[in-house]
Amino acid sequence: MWVEDWAPAAACREANPDELFVRGAEQNKAKQLCSGCPVRTECLAEALDNQIEWGVWGGMTERERRALLRRHPSASWRAVLETARNSAGKLPASL
């Protein structure tokens, strides 16, 4: 299920915003905050669809998002990520 108003459910909602807008090795710490987030997919779709340039969003750095956008410049990331998440939920339990 896609969460429209995802920000209140984000794992980072109470974090200091400066922790998410860092450079270098500090980005790995920020990405860890995203790892267990229940709305990570929605956050990432927001950043990709709106081409947000700075910070860690949905567990991806600016560089990672730019690379993805270069490969697929006209994608609707919400549609892509929502479809992928729905498909993953339908995998057999044996996998």
Side-chain angles (χ1 to χ4, degrees), residues 38-76:
V39 292
R40 179 179 178 175
T41 305
E42 290 86 347
C43 177
L44 180 57
E46 175 90 11
L48 291 168
D49 282 339
N50 293 299
Q51 297 184 9
I52 297 173
E53 294 185 27
W54 307 110
V56 172
W57 289 74
M60 291 185 82
T61 66
E62 302 103 341
R63 181 176 287 174
E64 292 166 335
R65 292 194 311 275
R66 277 194 304 270
L68 202 54
L69 288 168
R70 274 193 303 274
R71 288 193 303 266
H72 307 284
S74 60
S76 164

PDB file of all heavy atoms in Angstrom, residues 38-76:
ATOM      1  N   PRO A  38       9.755   2.574   7.300  1.00  0.00           N
ATOM      2  CA  PRO A  38       8.564   1.989   6.673  1.00  0.00           C
ATOM      3  C   PRO A  38       8.104   2.728   5.416  1.00  0.00           C
ATOM      4  O   PRO A  38       7.302   2.190   4.652  1.00  0.00           O
ATOM      5  CB  PRO A  38       7.504   2.077   7.778  1.00  0.00           C
ATOM      6  CG  PRO A  38       7.941   3.216   8.626  1.00  0.00           C
ATOM      7  CD  PRO A  38       9.447   3.193   8.589  1.00  0.00           C
ATOM      8  N   VAL A  39       8.593   3.932   5.188  1.00  0.00           N
ATOM      9  CA  VAL A  39       8.177   4.706   4.011  1.00  0.00           C
ATOM     10  C   VAL A  39       9.377   5.069   3.132  1.00  0.00           C
ATOM     11  O   VAL A  39       9.368   6.067   2.422  1.00  0.00           O
ATOM     12  CB  VAL A  39       7.376   5.967   4.413  1.00  0.00           C
ATOM     13  CG1 VAL A  39       6.029   5.583   4.998  1.00  0.00           C
ATOM     14  CG2 VAL A  39       8.165   6.834   5.387  1.00  0.00           C
ATOM     15  N   ARG A  40      10.368   4.235   3.162  1.00  0.00           N
ATOM     16  CA  ARG A  40      11.582   4.479   2.382  1.00  0.00           C
ATOM     17  C   ARG A  40      11.282   4.601   0.889  1.00  0.00           C
ATOM     18  O   ARG A  40      11.827   5.460   0.197  1.00  0.00           O
ATOM     19  CB  ARG A  40      12.559   3.329   2.636  1.00  0.00           C
ATOM     20  CG  ARG A  40      13.831   3.439   1.885  1.00  0.00           C
ATOM     21  CD  ARG A  40      14.734   2.285   2.227  1.00  0.00           C
ATOM     22  NE  ARG A  40      15.962   2.366   1.465  1.00  0.00           N
ATOM     23  CZ  ARG A  40      16.974   1.553   1.619  1.00  0.00           C
ATOM     24  NH1 ARG A  40      16.919   0.596   2.522  1.00  0.00           N
ATOM     25  NH2 ARG A  40      18.048   1.686   0.899  1.00  0.00           N
ATOM     26  N   THR A  41      10.409   3.756   0.374  1.00  0.00           N
ATOM     27  CA  THR A  41      10.071   3.769  -1.050  1.00  0.00           C
ATOM     28  C   THR A  41       9.395   5.071  -1.444  1.00  0.00           C
ATOM     29  O   THR A  41       9.730   5.674  -2.466  1.00  0.00           O
ATOM     30  CB  THR A  41       9.167   2.571  -1.391  1.00  0.00           C
ATOM     31  OG1 THR A  41       9.817   1.373  -0.968  1.00  0.00           O
ATOM     32  CG2 THR A  41       8.886   2.485  -2.877  1.00  0.00           C
ATOM     33  N   GLU A  42       8.454   5.529  -0.632  1.00  0.00           N
ATOM     34  CA  GLU A  42       7.758   6.784  -0.914  1.00  0.00           C
ATOM     35  C   GLU A  42       8.725   7.963  -0.901  1.00  0.00           C
ATOM     36  O   GLU A  42       8.661   8.862  -1.747  1.00  0.00           O
ATOM     37  CB  GLU A  42       6.634   7.015   0.102  1.00  0.00           C
ATOM     38  CG  GLU A  42       5.458   6.085  -0.042  1.00  0.00           C
ATOM     39  CD  GLU A  42       5.599   4.748   0.676  1.00  0.00           C
ATOM     40  OE1 GLU A  42       6.704   4.396   1.109  1.00  0.00           O
ATOM     41  OE2 GLU A  42       4.589   4.039   0.802  1.00  0.00           O
ATOM     42  N   CYS A  43       9.635   7.955   0.054  1.00  0.00           N
ATOM     43  CA  CYS A  43      10.641   9.002   0.182  1.00  0.00           C
ATOM     44  C   CYS A  43      11.540   9.034  -1.053  1.00  0.00           C
ATOM     45  O   CYS A  43      11.802  10.098  -1.624  1.00  0.00           O
ATOM     46  CB  CYS A  43      11.456   8.759   1.448  1.00  0.00           C
ATOM     47  SG  CYS A  43      12.800   9.915   1.727  1.00  0.00           S
ATOM     48  N   LEU A  44      11.992   7.882  -1.484  1.00  0.00           N
ATOM     49  CA  LEU A  44      12.857   7.800  -2.654  1.00  0.00           C
ATOM     50  C   LEU A  44      12.121   8.265  -3.903  1.00  0.00           C
ATOM     51  O   LEU A  44      12.663   9.018  -4.715  1.00  0.00           O
ATOM     52  CB  LEU A  44      13.380   6.375  -2.837  1.00  0.00           C
ATOM     53  CG  LEU A  44      14.298   6.158  -4.036  1.00  0.00           C
ATOM     54  CD1 LEU A  44      15.506   7.089  -3.992  1.00  0.00           C
ATOM     55  CD2 LEU A  44      14.729   4.701  -4.095  1.00  0.00           C
ATOM     56  N   ALA A  45      10.872   7.853  -4.061  1.00  0.00           N
ATOM     57  CA  ALA A  45      10.078   8.279  -5.217  1.00  0.00           C
ATOM     58  C   ALA A  45       9.919   9.793  -5.228  1.00  0.00           C
ATOM     59  O   ALA A  45      10.024  10.430  -6.288  1.00  0.00           O
ATOM     60  CB  ALA A  45       8.712   7.593  -5.206  1.00  0.00           C
ATOM     61  N   GLU A  46       9.691  10.384  -4.076  1.00  0.00           N
ATOM     62  CA  GLU A  46       9.570  11.838  -3.963  1.00  0.00           C
ATOM     63  C   GLU A  46      10.840  12.523  -4.451  1.00  0.00           C
ATOM     64  O   GLU A  46      10.796  13.482  -5.231  1.00  0.00           O
ATOM     65  CB  GLU A  46       9.301  12.217  -2.509  1.00  0.00           C
ATOM     66  CG  GLU A  46       9.279  13.687  -2.229  1.00  0.00           C
ATOM     67  CD  GLU A  46       7.904  14.297  -2.379  1.00  0.00           C
ATOM     68  OE1 GLU A  46       6.922  13.560  -2.501  1.00  0.00           O
ATOM     69  OE2 GLU A  46       7.825  15.526  -2.372  1.00  0.00           O
ATOM     70  N   ALA A  47      11.980  12.038  -4.008  1.00  0.00           N
ATOM     71  CA  ALA A  47      13.255  12.648  -4.382  1.00  0.00           C
ATOM     72  C   ALA A  47      13.544  12.487  -5.869  1.00  0.00           C
ATOM     73  O   ALA A  47      14.013  13.417  -6.522  1.00  0.00           O
ATOM     74  CB  ALA A  47      14.387  12.042  -3.557  1.00  0.00           C
ATOM     75  N   LEU A  48      13.247  11.319  -6.417  1.00  0.00           N
ATOM     76  CA  LEU A  48      13.516  11.075  -7.829  1.00  0.00           C
ATOM     77  C   LEU A  48      12.550  11.839  -8.729  1.00  0.00           C
ATOM     78  O   LEU A  48      12.964  12.473  -9.700  1.00  0.00           O
ATOM     79  CB  LEU A  48      13.459   9.579  -8.125  1.00  0.00           C
ATOM     80  CG  LEU A  48      14.588   8.747  -7.522  1.00  0.00           C
ATOM     81  CD1 LEU A  48      14.268   7.265  -7.618  1.00  0.00           C
ATOM     82  CD2 LEU A  48      15.912   9.065  -8.190  1.00  0.00           C
ATOM     83  N   ASP A  49      11.270  11.780  -8.427  1.00  0.00           N
ATOM     84  CA  ASP A  49      10.277  12.464  -9.264  1.00  0.00           C
ATOM     85  C   ASP A  49      10.436  13.975  -9.238  1.00  0.00           C
ATOM     86  O   ASP A  49      10.114  14.651 -10.210  1.00  0.00           O
ATOM     87  CB  ASP A  49       8.857  12.078  -8.854  1.00  0.00           C
ATOM     88  CG  ASP A  49       8.451  10.701  -9.368  1.00  0.00           C
ATOM     89  OD1 ASP A  49       9.066  10.222 -10.347  1.00  0.00           O
ATOM     90  OD2 ASP A  49       7.520  10.108  -8.797  1.00  0.00           O
ATOM     91  N   ASN A  50      10.924  14.507  -8.124  1.00  0.00           N
ATOM     92  CA  ASN A  50      11.102  15.955  -8.005  1.00  0.00           C
ATOM     93  C   ASN A  50      12.551  16.386  -8.198  1.00  0.00           C
ATOM     94  O   ASN A  50      12.881  17.553  -8.004  1.00  0.00           O
ATOM     95  CB  ASN A  50      10.570  16.438  -6.656  1.00  0.00           C
ATOM     96  CG  ASN A  50       9.078  16.265  -6.589  1.00  0.00           C
ATOM     97  OD1 ASN A  50       8.341  16.842  -7.368  1.00  0.00           O
ATOM     98  ND2 ASN A  50       8.621  15.425  -5.672  1.00  0.00           N
ATOM     99  N   GLN A  51      13.392  15.432  -8.570  1.00  0.00           N
ATOM    100  CA  GLN A  51      14.811  15.670  -8.815  1.00  0.00           C
ATOM    101  C   GLN A  51      15.458  16.504  -7.706  1.00  0.00           C
ATOM    102  O   GLN A  51      16.133  17.495  -7.958  1.00  0.00           O
ATOM    103  CB  GLN A  51      15.004  16.310 -10.186  1.00  0.00           C
ATOM    104  CG  GLN A  51      14.547  15.400 -11.282  1.00  0.00           C
ATOM    105  CD  GLN A  51      14.793  15.922 -12.670  1.00  0.00           C
ATOM    106  OE1 GLN A  51      15.459  16.918 -12.862  1.00  0.00           O
ATOM    107  NE2 GLN A  51      14.259  15.236 -13.652  1.00  0.00           N
ATOM    108  N   ILE A  52      15.240  16.059  -6.479  1.00  0.00           N
ATOM    109  CA  ILE A  52      15.836  16.720  -5.318  1.00  0.00           C
ATOM    110  C   ILE A  52      17.344  16.466  -5.354  1.00  0.00           C
ATOM    111  O   ILE A  52      17.779  15.320  -5.427  1.00  0.00           O
ATOM    112  CB  ILE A  52      15.200  16.223  -4.008  1.00  0.00           C
ATOM    113  CG1 ILE A  52      13.710  16.590  -4.009  1.00  0.00           C
ATOM    114  CG2 ILE A  52      15.920  16.800  -2.809  1.00  0.00           C
ATOM    115  CD1 ILE A  52      12.915  16.021  -2.858  1.00  0.00           C
ATOM    116  N   GLU A  53      18.098  17.538  -5.322  1.00  0.00           N
ATOM    117  CA  GLU A  53      19.536  17.428  -5.554  1.00  0.00           C
ATOM    118  C   GLU A  53      20.362  17.119  -4.324  1.00  0.00           C
ATOM    119  O   GLU A  53      21.463  16.602  -4.446  1.00  0.00           O
ATOM    120  CB  GLU A  53      20.049  18.728  -6.173  1.00  0.00           C
ATOM    121  CG  GLU A  53      19.490  18.967  -7.555  1.00  0.00           C
ATOM    122  CD  GLU A  53      20.089  20.190  -8.203  1.00  0.00           C
ATOM    123  OE1 GLU A  53      21.222  20.558  -7.865  1.00  0.00           O
ATOM    124  OE2 GLU A  53      19.405  20.774  -9.053  1.00  0.00           O
ATOM    125  N   TRP A  54      19.908  17.458  -3.149  1.00  0.00           N
ATOM    126  CA  TRP A  54      20.763  17.369  -1.959  1.00  0.00           C
ATOM    127  C   TRP A  54      20.194  16.405  -0.936  1.00  0.00           C
ATOM    128  O   TRP A  54      18.995  16.251  -0.800  1.00  0.00           O
ATOM    129  CB  TRP A  54      20.915  18.751  -1.321  1.00  0.00           C
ATOM    130  CG  TRP A  54      21.363  19.767  -2.306  1.00  0.00           C
ATOM    131  CD1 TRP A  54      20.620  20.792  -2.809  1.00  0.00           C
ATOM    132  CD2 TRP A  54      22.626  19.850  -2.952  1.00  0.00           C
ATOM    133  NE1 TRP A  54      21.346  21.508  -3.711  1.00  0.00           N
ATOM    134  CE2 TRP A  54      22.600  20.957  -3.822  1.00  0.00           C
ATOM    135  CE3 TRP A  54      23.796  19.103  -2.883  1.00  0.00           C
ATOM    136  CZ2 TRP A  54      23.672  21.327  -4.608  1.00  0.00           C
ATOM    137  CZ3 TRP A  54      24.876  19.479  -3.678  1.00  0.00           C
ATOM    138  CH2 TRP A  54      24.803  20.574  -4.514  1.00  0.00           C
ATOM    139  N   GLY A  55      21.093  15.787  -0.198  1.00  0.00           N
ATOM    140  CA  GLY A  55      20.716  14.956   0.932  1.00  0.00           C
ATOM    141  C   GLY A  55      20.497  13.496   0.580  1.00  0.00           C
ATOM    142  O   GLY A  55      20.465  13.104  -0.581  1.00  0.00           O
ATOM    143  N   VAL A  56      20.341  12.713   1.623  1.00  0.00           N
ATOM    144  CA  VAL A  56      20.021  11.298   1.490  1.00  0.00           C
ATOM    145  C   VAL A  56      18.507  11.179   1.587  1.00  0.00           C
ATOM    146  O   VAL A  56      17.896  11.649   2.551  1.00  0.00           O
ATOM    147  CB  VAL A  56      20.716  10.464   2.591  1.00  0.00           C
ATOM    148  CG1 VAL A  56      20.234   9.035   2.581  1.00  0.00           C
ATOM    149  CG2 VAL A  56      22.232  10.524   2.421  1.00  0.00           C
ATOM    150  N   TRP A  57      17.916  10.583   0.581  1.00  0.00           N
ATOM    151  CA  TRP A  57      16.460  10.376   0.527  1.00  0.00           C
ATOM    152  C   TRP A  57      16.210   8.923   0.169  1.00  0.00           C
ATOM    153  O   TRP A  57      16.784   8.410  -0.797  1.00  0.00           O
ATOM    154  CB  TRP A  57      15.834  11.261  -0.553  1.00  0.00           C
ATOM    155  CG  TRP A  57      15.823  12.711  -0.228  1.00  0.00           C
ATOM    156  CD1 TRP A  57      16.888  13.561  -0.244  1.00  0.00           C
ATOM    157  CD2 TRP A  57      14.700  13.489   0.151  1.00  0.00           C
ATOM    158  NE1 TRP A  57      16.485  14.817   0.106  1.00  0.00           N
ATOM    159  CE2 TRP A  57      15.141  14.803   0.349  1.00  0.00           C
ATOM    160  CE3 TRP A  57      13.350  13.204   0.338  1.00  0.00           C
ATOM    161  CZ2 TRP A  57      14.291  15.826   0.727  1.00  0.00           C
ATOM    162  CZ3 TRP A  57      12.504  14.225   0.704  1.00  0.00           C
ATOM    163  CH2 TRP A  57      12.967  15.514   0.904  1.00  0.00           C
ATOM    164  N   GLY A  58      15.374   8.253   0.905  1.00  0.00           N
ATOM    165  CA  GLY A  58      15.045   6.871   0.589  1.00  0.00           C
ATOM    166  C   GLY A  58      16.240   5.945   0.547  1.00  0.00           C
ATOM    167  O   GLY A  58      16.239   4.944  -0.148  1.00  0.00           O
ATOM    168  N   GLY A  59      17.277   6.283   1.277  1.00  0.00           N
ATOM    169  CA  GLY A  59      18.464   5.441   1.340  1.00  0.00           C
ATOM    170  C   GLY A  59      19.435   5.626   0.188  1.00  0.00           C
ATOM    171  O   GLY A  59      20.355   4.835   0.026  1.00  0.00           O
ATOM    172  N   MET A  60      19.243   6.673  -0.608  1.00  0.00           N
ATOM    173  CA  MET A  60      20.158   6.932  -1.726  1.00  0.00           C
ATOM    174  C   MET A  60      20.771   8.319  -1.604  1.00  0.00           C
ATOM    175  O   MET A  60      20.108   9.274  -1.222  1.00  0.00           O
ATOM    176  CB  MET A  60      19.428   6.834  -3.067  1.00  0.00           C
ATOM    177  CG  MET A  60      18.993   5.423  -3.417  1.00  0.00           C
ATOM    178  SD  MET A  60      18.261   5.322  -5.062  1.00  0.00           S
ATOM    179  CE  MET A  60      19.752   5.215  -6.047  1.00  0.00           C
ATOM    180  N   THR A  61      22.042   8.405  -1.962  1.00  0.00           N
ATOM    181  CA  THR A  61      22.758   9.684  -1.941  1.00  0.00           C
ATOM    182  C   THR A  61      22.435  10.468  -3.216  1.00  0.00           C
ATOM    183  O   THR A  61      21.834   9.938  -4.152  1.00  0.00           O
ATOM    184  CB  THR A  61      24.278   9.453  -1.883  1.00  0.00           C
ATOM    185  OG1 THR A  61      24.684   8.823  -3.107  1.00  0.00           O
ATOM    186  CG2 THR A  61      24.669   8.617  -0.683  1.00  0.00           C
ATOM    187  N   GLU A  62      22.891  11.718  -3.232  1.00  0.00           N
ATOM    188  CA  GLU A  62      22.696  12.557  -4.422  1.00  0.00           C
ATOM    189  C   GLU A  62      23.303  11.891  -5.653  1.00  0.00           C
ATOM    190  O   GLU A  62      22.684  11.842  -6.721  1.00  0.00           O
ATOM    191  CB  GLU A  62      23.376  13.926  -4.254  1.00  0.00           C
ATOM    192  CG  GLU A  62      22.908  14.723  -3.079  1.00  0.00           C
ATOM    193  CD  GLU A  62      23.895  14.687  -1.911  1.00  0.00           C
ATOM    194  OE1 GLU A  62      24.754  13.787  -1.844  1.00  0.00           O
ATOM    195  OE2 GLU A  62      23.786  15.569  -1.049  1.00  0.00           O
ATOM    196  N   ARG A  63      24.507  11.392  -5.501  1.00  0.00           N
ATOM    197  CA  ARG A  63      25.217  10.764  -6.622  1.00  0.00           C
ATOM    198  C   ARG A  63      24.468   9.537  -7.135  1.00  0.00           C
ATOM    199  O   ARG A  63      24.337   9.337  -8.344  1.00  0.00           O
ATOM    200  CB  ARG A  63      26.628  10.387  -6.195  1.00  0.00           C
ATOM    201  CG  ARG A  63      27.442   9.742  -7.306  1.00  0.00           C
ATOM    202  CD  ARG A  63      28.839   9.480  -6.874  1.00  0.00           C
ATOM    203  NE  ARG A  63      29.522  10.775  -6.822  1.00  0.00           N
ATOM    204  CZ  ARG A  63      30.737  10.947  -6.378  1.00  0.00           C
ATOM    205  NH1 ARG A  63      31.425   9.938  -5.909  1.00  0.00           N
ATOM    206  NH2 ARG A  63      31.288  12.139  -6.376  1.00  0.00           N
ATOM    207  N   GLU A  64      23.979   8.717  -6.227  1.00  0.00           N
ATOM    208  CA  GLU A  64      23.235   7.516  -6.630  1.00  0.00           C
ATOM    209  C   GLU A  64      21.951   7.884  -7.369  1.00  0.00           C
ATOM    210  O   GLU A  64      21.609   7.260  -8.381  1.00  0.00           O
ATOM    211  CB  GLU A  64      22.916   6.657  -5.402  1.00  0.00           C
ATOM    212  CG  GLU A  64      24.142   6.046  -4.770  1.00  0.00           C
ATOM    213  CD  GLU A  64      23.893   5.481  -3.385  1.00  0.00           C
ATOM    214  OE1 GLU A  64      22.951   5.930  -2.680  1.00  0.00           O
ATOM    215  OE2 GLU A  64      24.658   4.577  -2.987  1.00  0.00           O
ATOM    216  N   ARG A  65      21.258   8.901  -6.872  1.00  0.00           N
ATOM    217  CA  ARG A  65      20.018   9.330  -7.535  1.00  0.00           C
ATOM    218  C   ARG A  65      20.309   9.936  -8.902  1.00  0.00           C
ATOM    219  O   ARG A  65      19.593   9.666  -9.881  1.00  0.00           O
ATOM    220  CB  ARG A  65      19.240  10.314  -6.666  1.00  0.00           C
ATOM    221  CG  ARG A  65      18.661   9.685  -5.410  1.00  0.00           C
ATOM    222  CD  ARG A  65      17.631  10.570  -4.739  1.00  0.00           C
ATOM    223  NE  ARG A  65      18.056  11.938  -4.541  1.00  0.00           N
ATOM    224  CZ  ARG A  65      18.768  12.385  -3.497  1.00  0.00           C
ATOM    225  NH1 ARG A  65      19.153  11.548  -2.550  1.00  0.00           N
ATOM    226  NH2 ARG A  65      19.093  13.655  -3.396  1.00  0.00           N
ATOM    227  N   ARG A  66      21.349  10.742  -9.016  1.00  0.00           N
ATOM    228  CA  ARG A  66      21.706  11.339 -10.314  1.00  0.00           C
ATOM    229  C   ARG A  66      22.004  10.254 -11.341  1.00  0.00           C
ATOM    230  O   ARG A  66      21.586  10.346 -12.500  1.00  0.00           O
ATOM    231  CB  ARG A  66      22.903  12.276 -10.174  1.00  0.00           C
ATOM    232  CG  ARG A  66      22.535  13.650  -9.701  1.00  0.00           C
ATOM    233  CD  ARG A  66      23.671  14.646  -9.906  1.00  0.00           C
ATOM    234  NE  ARG A  66      24.912  14.252  -9.276  1.00  0.00           N
ATOM    235  CZ  ARG A  66      25.280  14.567  -8.038  1.00  0.00           C
ATOM    236  NH1 ARG A  66      24.489  15.290  -7.274  1.00  0.00           N
ATOM    237  NH2 ARG A  66      26.440  14.165  -7.555  1.00  0.00           N
ATOM    238  N   ALA A  67      22.732   9.221 -10.943  1.00  0.00           N
ATOM    239  CA  ALA A  67      23.060   8.120 -11.859  1.00  0.00           C
ATOM    240  C   ALA A  67      21.784   7.427 -12.338  1.00  0.00           C
ATOM    241  O   ALA A  67      21.649   7.114 -13.526  1.00  0.00           O
ATOM    242  CB  ALA A  67      23.993   7.118 -11.172  1.00  0.00           C
ATOM    243  N   LEU A  68      20.860   7.197 -11.444  1.00  0.00           N
ATOM    244  CA  LEU A  68      19.593   6.566 -11.800  1.00  0.00           C
ATOM    245  C   LEU A  68      18.786   7.450 -12.748  1.00  0.00           C
ATOM    246  O   LEU A  68      18.236   6.977 -13.743  1.00  0.00           O
ATOM    247  CB  LEU A  68      18.807   6.289 -10.515  1.00  0.00           C
ATOM    248  CG  LEU A  68      17.734   5.235 -10.531  1.00  0.00           C
ATOM    249  CD1 LEU A  68      18.255   3.904 -11.029  1.00  0.00           C
ATOM    250  CD2 LEU A  68      17.163   5.084  -9.128  1.00  0.00           C
ATOM    251  N   LEU A  69      18.758   8.740 -12.469  1.00  0.00           N
ATOM    252  CA  LEU A  69      18.023   9.676 -13.319  1.00  0.00           C
ATOM    253  C   LEU A  69      18.655   9.790 -14.711  1.00  0.00           C
ATOM    254  O   LEU A  69      17.928   9.957 -15.699  1.00  0.00           O
ATOM    255  CB  LEU A  69      17.949  11.054 -12.654  1.00  0.00           C
ATOM    256  CG  LEU A  69      17.017  11.124 -11.444  1.00  0.00           C
ATOM    257  CD1 LEU A  69      17.236  12.423 -10.688  1.00  0.00           C
ATOM    258  CD2 LEU A  69      15.564  10.974 -11.862  1.00  0.00           C
ATOM    259  N   ARG A  70      19.966   9.691 -14.798  1.00  0.00           N
ATOM    260  CA  ARG A  70      20.620   9.734 -16.113  1.00  0.00           C
ATOM    261  C   ARG A  70      20.235   8.519 -16.952  1.00  0.00           C
ATOM    262  O   ARG A  70      20.045   8.625 -18.162  1.00  0.00           O
ATOM    263  CB  ARG A  70      22.142   9.783 -15.963  1.00  0.00           C
ATOM    264  CG  ARG A  70      22.683  11.173 -15.781  1.00  0.00           C
ATOM    265  CD  ARG A  70      24.202  11.211 -15.966  1.00  0.00           C
ATOM    266  NE  ARG A  70      24.931  10.322 -15.086  1.00  0.00           N
ATOM    267  CZ  ARG A  70      25.322  10.621 -13.842  1.00  0.00           C
ATOM    268  NH1 ARG A  70      25.046  11.802 -13.331  1.00  0.00           N
ATOM    269  NH2 ARG A  70      25.988   9.756 -13.125  1.00  0.00           N
ATOM    270  N   ARG A  71      20.139   7.369 -16.313  1.00  0.00           N
ATOM    271  CA  ARG A  71      19.801   6.138 -17.036  1.00  0.00           C
ATOM    272  C   ARG A  71      18.336   6.099 -17.458  1.00  0.00           C
ATOM    273  O   ARG A  71      17.992   5.491 -18.466  1.00  0.00           O
ATOM    274  CB  ARG A  71      20.132   4.911 -16.192  1.00  0.00           C
ATOM    275  CG  ARG A  71      21.626   4.675 -16.066  1.00  0.00           C
ATOM    276  CD  ARG A  71      21.949   3.313 -15.500  1.00  0.00           C
ATOM    277  NE  ARG A  71      21.367   3.038 -14.208  1.00  0.00           N
ATOM    278  CZ  ARG A  71      21.965   3.231 -13.028  1.00  0.00           C
ATOM    279  NH1 ARG A  71      23.179   3.716 -12.985  1.00  0.00           N
ATOM    280  NH2 ARG A  71      21.350   2.927 -11.915  1.00  0.00           N
ATOM    281  N   HIS A  72      17.459   6.714 -16.660  1.00  0.00           N
ATOM    282  CA  HIS A  72      16.013   6.679 -16.926  1.00  0.00           C
ATOM    283  C   HIS A  72      15.420   8.065 -16.684  1.00  0.00           C
ATOM    284  O   HIS A  72      14.682   8.283 -15.716  1.00  0.00           O
ATOM    285  CB  HIS A  72      15.331   5.658 -16.009  1.00  0.00           C
ATOM    286  CG  HIS A  72      15.946   4.297 -16.072  1.00  0.00           C
ATOM    287  ND1 HIS A  72      15.740   3.434 -17.121  1.00  0.00           N
ATOM    288  CD2 HIS A  72      16.784   3.659 -15.223  1.00  0.00           C
ATOM    289  CE1 HIS A  72      16.417   2.312 -16.910  1.00  0.00           C
ATOM    290  NE2 HIS A  72      17.065   2.431 -15.761  1.00  0.00           N
ATOM    291  N   PRO A  73      15.704   9.017 -17.562  1.00  0.00           N
ATOM    292  CA  PRO A  73      15.322  10.415 -17.312  1.00  0.00           C
ATOM    293  C   PRO A  73      13.823  10.694 -17.319  1.00  0.00           C
ATOM    294  O   PRO A  73      13.381  11.655 -16.701  1.00  0.00           O
ATOM    295  CB  PRO A  73      16.024  11.181 -18.430  1.00  0.00           C
ATOM    296  CG  PRO A  73      16.264  10.187 -19.493  1.00  0.00           C
ATOM    297  CD  PRO A  73      16.433   8.868 -18.809  1.00  0.00           C
ATOM    298  N   SER A  74      13.038   9.892 -17.997  1.00  0.00           N
ATOM    299  CA  SER A  74      11.614  10.215 -18.096  1.00  0.00           C
ATOM    300  C   SER A  74      10.716   9.267 -17.303  1.00  0.00           C
ATOM    301  O   SER A  74       9.506   9.261 -17.491  1.00  0.00           O
ATOM    302  CB  SER A  74      11.190  10.224 -19.571  1.00  0.00           C
ATOM    303  OG  SER A  74      11.410   8.947 -20.141  1.00  0.00           O
ATOM    304  N   ALA A  75      11.291   8.498 -16.435  1.00  0.00           N
ATOM    305  CA  ALA A  75      10.504   7.531 -15.658  1.00  0.00           C
ATOM    306  C   ALA A  75       9.640   8.233 -14.629  1.00  0.00           C
ATOM    307  O   ALA A  75      10.004   9.267 -14.079  1.00  0.00           O
ATOM    308  CB  ALA A  75      11.436   6.550 -14.949  1.00  0.00           C
ATOM    309  N   SER A  76       8.475   7.650 -14.371  1.00  0.00           N
ATOM    310  CA  SER A  76       7.666   8.048 -13.226  1.00  0.00           C
ATOM    311  C   SER A  76       8.116   7.130 -12.096  1.00  0.00           C
ATOM    312  O   SER A  76       7.757   5.950 -12.064  1.00  0.00           O
ATOM    313  CB  SER A  76       6.177   7.838 -13.499  1.00  0.00           C
ATOM    314  OG  SER A  76       5.466   7.889 -12.271  1.00  0.00           O
TER     315      SER A  76
END
